[in-house]
Amino acid sequence: MDPLSFKLQIFEGPLDLLLHLIKKNKVNIYDIPIVEITEQYMEYLSALEEMDLEVSSEFLVMATHLLYIKSKMLLPKHEEEEEDPRQNLVDRLVEYKKMKEAGEKLKIMQYSGYLSFYKAPQDIKGIEKPKKIESESLERLTRAFLEILKKAERKEPPPVNKFDGIVGREIVSVKTKTDHILKKLKKGSKIGFKKSFSDVKSKSEAVSQFLAILELLRMGILEVIEEENDIYLRRTINDVTEDLEEDYR
């Protein structure tokens, strides 16, 4: 192994110095040439003493440990001594290396956002947040809808299957009813829940309209209000984006 040449630098601790020596010598961390690494470690401590720099106790403790491992490696092995005397040091170095690499990544992440600017959240006045539909209101809506459905059944014309081959099947989409409600109600205006079904002519149309109302309630475009023991639907001041209008038409 070539003699080590490096500029004297301050390391965070003995493990930091050992990792530096292992990297400079391009040796395997799991198979450390303990004799050479120990000699280079001691050279570093001697250089510190020559420059009248204080050597901390943790560096001295590691020096003692390296000398102990070196002596164990040089002595003849007994059959009962199967464990590598370097193993404990290797485990500590591997763990320290992981922590150091993680620290470097966090440092990069810390400075990576310095050139990025973010706008703080701002409350937009005049826009109401979507309100959660209360379970009690939903129950009242459902009961009212069932009453409307019964009336729709009574005035519904004979089943379409009676006229098979004469007329086609009636299809009423939720998107169509959503668009109808949005056109019918201007922002801030309201309508009685039952009255909103006054122009409904069939059960399938009633179901589609009820689903459209529920969807608009979920989006925060409509809200349920109760006045004088009656249920009303009121359109909020929230805007429907073009994308949402396209989705529900």
Side-chain angles (χ1 to χ4, degrees):
M1 183 180 296
D2 296 331
L4 179 69
S5 59
F6 59 87
K7 292 181 180 179
L8 193 64
Q9 63 184 86
I10 303 300
F11 295 95
E12 294 179 0
L15 293 176
D16 194 31
L17 171 57
L18 285 174
L19 277 181
H20 172 79
L21 296 175
I22 289 168
K23 183 179 179 180
K24 285 291 183 183
N25 287 284
K26 298 179 181 179
V27 295
N28 188 347
I29 195 171
Y30 294 98
D31 188 19
I32 302 171
I34 200 70
V35 176
E36 290 84 353
I37 293 296
T38 301
E39 289 176 356
Q40 293 174 12
Y41 184 91
M42 300 304 292
E43 285 176 14
Y44 174 80
L45 297 189
S46 298
L48 289 178
E49 291 175 350
E50 288 175 8
M51 296 182 68
D52 291 330
L53 296 176
E54 184 180 353
V55 181
S56 62
S57 59
E58 55 182 345
F59 281 92
L60 297 174
V61 171
M62 179 58 74
T64 305
H65 187 56
L66 287 171
L67 291 171
Y68 169 76
I69 296 173
K70 179 181 175 182
S71 64
K72 292 280 288 184
M73 297 287 291
L74 294 174
L75 290 172
K77 291 184 179 180
H78 298 287
E79 293 182 0
E80 61 273 11
E81 295 180 356
E82 295 180 359
E83 186 177 355
D84 190 331
R86 300 172 297 179
Q87 189 59 49
N88 179 262
L89 178 62
V90 169
D91 292 341
R92 289 173 63 190
L93 281 169
V94 170
E95 192 65 27
Y96 180 78
K97 185 181 179 184
K98 289 179 181 177
M99 296 297 293
K100 188 172 182 178
E101 288 173 351
E104 290 298 325
K105 289 181 181 179
L106 290 173
K107 190 182 292 184
I108 293 171
M109 291 171 64
Q110 177 185 357
Y111 292 106
S112 64
Y114 272 24
L115 298 177
S116 300
F117 299 92
Y118 304 93
K119 187 177 184 298
Q122 180 180 355
D123 290 332
I124 303 175
K125 294 181 179 179
I127 300 296
E128 295 182 2
K129 294 181 179 179
K131 296 181 180 179
K132 184 180 178 182
I133 308 173
E134 301 293 338
S135 58
E136 185 177 334
S137 298
L138 190 58
E139 286 179 13
R140 289 201 64 185
L141 278 180
T142 305
R143 287 197 300 268
F145 173 66
L146 290 175
E147 292 178 13
I148 293 167
L149 207 57
K150 287 180 182 178
K151 292 178 181 178
E153 285 177 350
R154 285 197 293 268
K155 64 179 181 180
E156 192 170 6
V160 175
N161 57 12
K162 297 289 185 181
F163 305 94
D164 285 344
I166 302 174
V167 295
R169 182 184 177 188
E170 181 188 25
I171 299 175
V172 183
S173 69
V174 176
K175 292 179 183 179
T176 302
K177 299 307 293 184
T178 303
D179 184 59
H180 174 71
I181 295 167
L182 290 175
K183 287 180 178 178
K184 197 171 187 177
L185 278 176
K186 295 181 179 179
K187 290 181 182 179
S189 62
K190 66 179 180 179
I191 188 173
F193 179 69
K194 293 180 180 179
K195 188 177 180 181
S196 67
F197 287 83
S198 60
D199 55 351
V200 169
K201 299 176 182 178
S202 66
K203 184 167 68 175
S204 58
E205 187 181 354
V207 171
S208 295
Q209 180 155 318
F210 184 62
L211 293 174
I213 290 170
L214 293 179
E215 184 62 20
L216 290 170
L217 287 169
R218 184 190 67 80
M219 292 164 60
I221 306 301
L222 292 184
E223 63 180 352
V224 179
I225 56 175
E226 297 180 27
E227 294 179 358
E228 300 176 356
N229 295 323
D230 206 351
I231 305 173
Y232 290 86
L233 299 173
R234 181 169 61 190
R235 183 169 176 180
T236 65
I237 61 173
N238 291 341
D239 280 323
V240 181
T241 64
E242 291 181 4
D243 291 339
L244 285 174
E245 280 196 280
E246 284 297 322
D247 288 341
Y248 290 98
R249 284 186 180 180

